[in-house]
Amino acid sequence: MRYERPETIVQATHLLAEADSNAFVLAGGTDLLVKMQSDGFEADLVVDIKSIAGMGDVVEADDTFVIGAGVPCAALGENDALVAAWPGVVEAANLIGSTQIQGRCTVVGNLCNASPAADSVPALVAAGAKAKIAGLGGTRMADVLDIPTGPGKTSLKKGEIVEAIVLDKPLARSGDAYLRFIPRTEMDIAVVGVGINLVLDEGGAVQSARIALGAVGPTVILAEDAAQALVGSKLEETALDVMAAACSAASHPIDDKRGTVEFRKQIAGVLARRAARIAFDRAGGN
Amino acid sequence: MSFDAAFQNQNFKSVGTRPLRPDGVDKVTGRARYGADFNMPGQLVARVLRSPHAHARIVAIDTARAAAVKGVKAVITAADLPDLSNGDKALFNILDNCMARTKAMYDGHAVAAVAAIDEKAAKQAMKLIDVEYEVLPHVVDVDAATEPDAPILNDAVFTTGIDPAPTTASNVANRSEFGHGDVEAGFADADVIVERSYRTEQTHQGYIEPHACVASCNPDGTADLWVCTQGHFVFRQNCADLLGLEVSKLRVTSSEIGGGFGGKTHVWAEPVALALSRKAGRPVKLVMSRDEVFRASGPTSATSIDVKIGATKDGKITAATATLRYSNGPYADIWAELGAMTSFACYDLKNVKTVGFEVLVNRPKVAAYRAPSAPMAAFAVESAIDELAQKIGMDALDLRIRNAASEGTRSSYGPVYGPIGIGPTLEAAQAHPHMTAPLGTNQGRGMACGFWFNFGGQTCTDLNVNADGTVTLAVGTVDVGGSRASLSLVAAEELGIDYQDVKAVVADTGTLGYNDMTDGSRGTFSSSMATISAARNAIAVMRQRAALTWDIPVEDVYWEDGHAKAAGAKYGNLAPLSVKEIAAESGNTGGPIAGHSELVADGAGVSFATHICDVEVDPETGATSVIRYTVIQDAGKAVHPAYVEGQYQGGAAQGIGWALNEEYIYGEDGRLQNPGFLDYRIPVCSDLPMIDTQILEIPNPNHPYGVRGVGETSIVPPLAAIANAVSNAVGVRMSHIPMSPPRILAALSRQKGE
């Protein structure tokens, strides 16, 4: 196995582009290193991107936050401005693994590992986050929603690296939240995850909503019908009922070791209802 | 010298105190040496190839390509472990489980193994072992395996314990029955009858340290094994039998142990490592991965149990029956039998009958798990008792007290009890503030009782008094829960010296006589008895040395408070001699001072516990939190109360995991879906409340200090206590363990008629 630690993103993309097969990007390593311990896994090339300038930074500009691909999730929780702006995104990132894992794992890694149960992804999708992607031909932007294409699969082309997540500064009267269900209290993997971002109008009713569901399909699901059900409401019970039912309907889970279809569909509605109340509260709704 | 093990009431100086364990600092600083921490020069790395099929005939194995890989020093199959069992079925089953001979019986069954100079070569070789399988139909479910159309695992298994003997092969290996009285007549006398079926899923002991060993077969025909085990003498016997070695030529050293809970009482990797070393001519280290631990070691039985209990309106149980089907894995054992014996052991019953069926399934061989088989039986019986109390309209605690066994009761499994603790634990529960604490919304309280036999067994101990007056205590029972501290307290108590002056070590098989393994909650019970005996023998020697020093008859020297003292007025001017003083002169008075003991520790007192549990269930998600938990258990005498409490808490913690989330999940293909701690969910710290404990001390008449084993009983009541609490919280009887959120939510939906 070859280990490379390039110092520029251009070198990194070239290394990946020129690799024959079994090439992996190493950031926090909390997924990759675990995989490498199993007898069936083979890596020919590992490209460690943590020495590339900027990868470890959270940059706050006038309109955006840019989170580098090497930023550990724990660092997000220590960035007061980010916590104030996108508390749901930060909460999701700080649910991954354990305290020790959070010191290494990254949201970009969480996204590119493409697990349907990734915690940070529904929160990012609800927040309308974009991915900044470096490749041989330069840099492009893509919606986070469009990165995962199936379990373990992404839309990234050979040689491409997600170098940062870009979050717009939140609009006035907005709030986000993420909740997941796990059978234990921590150190577990989402059976269902729900990210919600609400923007209220001046009258305190929901003006626009984004609801993203995790672990109930092969990729994160943007539940547009469910979001629509909240628009114009102040989270009255009827609106929440319609929204919860729409979340259940949008869920297409499978029966597996982590839960049944029936359970997951039901929980998607329950969590969406609870997350909506938190987001509404954060947006200043009452 | 004859040793009187009878209980003698006394005031203790050391026993009952709570000093730090001698192994503690090394364990928390990472210096302690566990199974994988031992290394030898030139050692090879081993890897085991395992069947991906739940049931498959091994048509052919070709190891030639693997053996040709650079760096590979040995590749073995069953052919390298010839059958030396000589008609001993139990031994053959151990052999077949270590390395499949004609058929792979479960997903994860070992079929070949490799030893190479490094991991890379071993991994590469694994991929080049060509195994031709003929995949056979499989069955993993305990009930499905007993159906007439189930695939038969073993054509040579005919159900025993049935008259007349059956003529067709079956997956039911044995039927056992216990009880007394006339249950039909008893049910006819009942005003109220509860009848229900229960299921529990298969769980793993979940020890954090995987199985690990280093094996070295030496050119002179001797062999060494360094291994993480609960019983190095038993491992020596098993390995010697399987490899055709003389017992004296195999020296086994036990490492520190990162959890065993019964799972490290069985050999898996060790004979394989020895066979690899024998073939390669070099030491071999074999460390199982977590995936291998789940797929090929450990688990307890999955069960299916029917219970029927009848009682009069005033709460007297008139009859009780239980039918228990326990999965055994592919090899017949006595797991259902143990369940059948323990089911109703807490109660004084006129009419009782239990029947156990050992069921063979294509899952890993079942291993002991802390009071093996009792938790599932207690879950079924104690759930039925709870339901019975509700049906009668009586408090469940009062119902249990009304029917509790006591001294002189003939137990449901046969023996008549001596002094026992079930009644006192129930009365302590009744008086405990937990029982009357208020409950909030969505909360429920449950309680349950549990029983375990406990075991004594063969024990051998050496106590050496060093020249500086300190003492080295060599024991042969592996320390799984603080027994070195407890045994040091016992030696200090007998000799009248400080705890700090005793150093207890676990001796290897070459330096001490045979010891049964640390199972059956016997470690502290049996080795403390042997330590008392050895200490008293050492005291006899020290009295002789004092007599010699003083030149008086030994009969006139007595032992008190750590000193030899001259009896009577005629030696009035002789100052007492301390252990230190006698030891310092030992070179001039007859040489080293030591006490030895070998005994069979009979009379392990049976053990009872009562647990109380409060839970809160989220009715929208089915998630359960245990918010308060209390363990009340009889210890006989708590030698080291902190470690007794640790045992109580540990058993409860494992029971909570078993009750709520832990289970083996198999796919349609018969493959284990969750062989890792991510999806096999043992509780993490934040899943547990602080577990309160109350130690009762009802002396065991068969131990000088009254000690009973305490390690296992604490896992018996939790499944039932939590199930009763959850059932009471949600208003639906939960009869399937684990009560995972999907199961609870489905039960709530069924109740609502959705």
Side-chain angles (χ1 to χ4, degrees), chain A residues 36 38-39 42 181 183-189 257-258 260 263 266-267 270 274, chain B residues 47 123 127 618 620-621 623 661 665 673 677-679 681-682 686-687 741-742 745:
Chain A
M36 287 172 78
S38 77
D39 277 357
E42 278 178 23
F181 183 80
R184 290 184 290 201
T185 46
E186 60 179 328
M187 295 180 67
D188 214 327
I189 192 160
K257 58 199 173 189
R258 291 173 191 153
T260 59
F263 179 76
Q266 197 171 339
I267 296 302
V270 170
R274 294 178 181 181
Chain B
R47 276 285 197 283
K123 277 185 183 178
K127 290 181 186 154
D618 181 336
E620 289 186 324
T621 64
N661 280 308
I665 300 169
Q673 301 292 300
F677 279 136
L678 183 56
D679 287 305
R681 295 185 166 87
I682 63 172
S686 51
D687 290 327
L745 211 53

Side-chain angles (χ1 to χ4, degrees), chain A residues 29-40:
Chain A
T30 54
D31 286 309
L32 182 63
L33 296 188
V34 174
K35 285 182 195 163
M36 287 172 78
Q37 285 175 16
S38 77
D39 277 357

Side-chain angles (χ1 to χ4, degrees), chain B residues 653-734:
Chain B
Q654 286 186 310
I656 289 168
W658 191 344
L660 294 180
N661 280 308
E662 293 180 39
E663 65 178 309
Y664 268 43
I665 300 169
Y666 279 88
E668 289 293 316
D669 55 4
R671 289 178 185 160
L672 185 60
Q673 301 292 300
N674 57 337
F677 279 136
L678 183 56
D679 287 305
Y680 181 90
R681 295 185 166 87
I682 63 172
V684 298
C685 282
S686 51
D687 290 327
L688 299 170
M690 189 62 206
I691 296 166
D692 293 326
T693 57
Q694 186 176 345
I695 299 171
L696 302 187
E697 295 185 327
I698 294 122
N700 175 5
N702 306 310
H703 184 284
Y705 297 171
V707 170
R708 297 173 195 264
V710 297
E712 291 167 291
T713 310
S714 53
I715 202 175
V716 182
L719 309 191
I722 298 159
N724 289 337
V726 170
S727 300
N728 294 334
V730 300
V732 185
R733 180 55 55 182
M734 298 303 298

Side-chain angles (χ1 to χ4, degrees), chain B residues 269-302:
Chain B
E270 300 76 12
V272 173
L274 282 162
L276 281 168
S277 173
R278 181 166 65 183
K279 193 162 183 178
R282 283 169 66 169
V284 170
K285 182 185 232 178
L286 201 167
V287 180
M288 283 168 82
S289 67
R290 182 62 57 189
D291 175 278
E292 290 178 290
V293 169
F294 274 111
R295 286 166 70 207
S297 81
T300 184
S301 302

Side-chain angles (χ1 to χ4, degrees), chain B residues 197-518:
Chain B
S197 296
Y198 304 86
R199 277 186 69 98
T200 67
E201 296 302 326
Q202 185 156 40
T203 57
H204 194 275
Q205 293 81 349
Y207 29 83
I208 299 303
E209 185 191 6
H211 300 269
C213 66
V214 175
S216 179
C217 286
N218 309 317
D220 63 358
T222 64
D224 290 285
L225 180 67
W226 169 283
V227 61
C228 177
T229 172
Q230 287 174 247
H232 41 317
F233 292 91
V234 174
F235 273 35
R236 176 182 65 169
Q237 189 68 51
N238 284 336
C239 291
D241 289 347
L242 293 174
L243 282 115
L245 289 165
E246 286 171 27
V247 164
S248 63
K249 292 196 172 152
L250 174 59
R251 184 173 186 176
V252 183
T253 306
S254 64
S255 69
E256 290 293 347
I257 181 166
F261 314 111
K264 287 173 182 163
T265 60
H266 307 244
V267 293
W268 277 284
E270 300 76 12
V272 173
L274 282 162
L276 281 168
S277 173
R278 181 166 65 183
K279 193 162 183 178
R282 283 169 66 169
V284 170
K285 182 185 232 178
L286 201 167
V287 180
M288 283 168 82
S289 67
R290 182 62 57 189
D291 175 278
E292 290 178 290
V293 169
F294 274 111
R295 286 166 70 207
S297 81
T300 184
S301 302
T303 72
S304 159
I305 303 172
D306 311 322
V307 173
K308 184 177 176 185
I309 306 179
T312 57
K313 287 196 295 275
D314 60 351
K316 183 69 196 165
I317 296 174
T318 56
T321 61
T323 303
L324 309 99
R325 294 164 292 272
Y326 277 50
S327 71
N328 279 218
Y331 308 106
D333 215 313
I334 58 162
W335 306 118
E337 190 170 341
L338 290 173
M341 291 172 81
T342 59
S343 300
F344 292 105
C346 292
Y347 299 105
D348 181 5
L349 302 174
K350 195 173 162 201
N351 306 298
V352 58
K353 178 180 168 183
T354 59
V355 178
F357 293 102
E358 313 297 344
V359 183
L360 306 187
V361 294
N362 293 112
R363 294 186 183 215
K365 169 185 134 78
V366 165
Y369 180 13
R370 203 168 195 163
S373 302
M376 307 83 127
F379 160 59
V381 167
E382 293 293 299
S383 293
I385 295 269
D386 196 59
E387 198 173 350
L388 183 68
Q390 286 166 359
K391 253 186 153 170
I392 295 174
M394 189 172 179
D395 181 79
L397 185 52
D398 292 336
L399 178 70
R400 288 184 172 91
I401 289 175
R402 173 94 211 266
N403 293 282
S406 57
E407 187 167 1
T409 295
R410 185 178 176 201
S411 68
S412 56
Y413 65 97
V416 174
Y417 289 132
I420 56 172
I422 180 64
T425 64
L426 283 165
E427 282 147 22
Q430 198 166 39
H432 199 287
H434 186 168
M435 280 310 282
T436 47
L439 286 169
T441 313
N442 298 324
Q443 295 181 354
R445 177 167 298 141
M447 63 167 299
C449 299
F451 157 87
W452 186 243
F453 307 96
N454 287 345
F455 178 59
Q458 299 182 63
T459 313
C460 184
T461 295
D462 275 338
L463 186 152
N464 290 295
V465 181
N466 304 308
D468 61 359
T470 63
V471 166
T472 308
L473 180 65
V475 301
T477 45
V478 173
D479 181 357
V480 301
S483 61
R484 274 169 293 188
S486 300
L487 299 174
S488 298
L489 284 172
V490 168
E493 186 74 46
E494 281 298 317
L495 296 169
I497 61 176
D498 286 346
Y499 167 80
Q500 298 299 342
D501 287 338
V502 183
K503 170 77 177 168
V505 299
V506 179
D508 66 66
T509 62
T511 53
L512 198 61
Y514 178 84
N515 279 265
D516 284 326
M517 53 194 161
T518 303

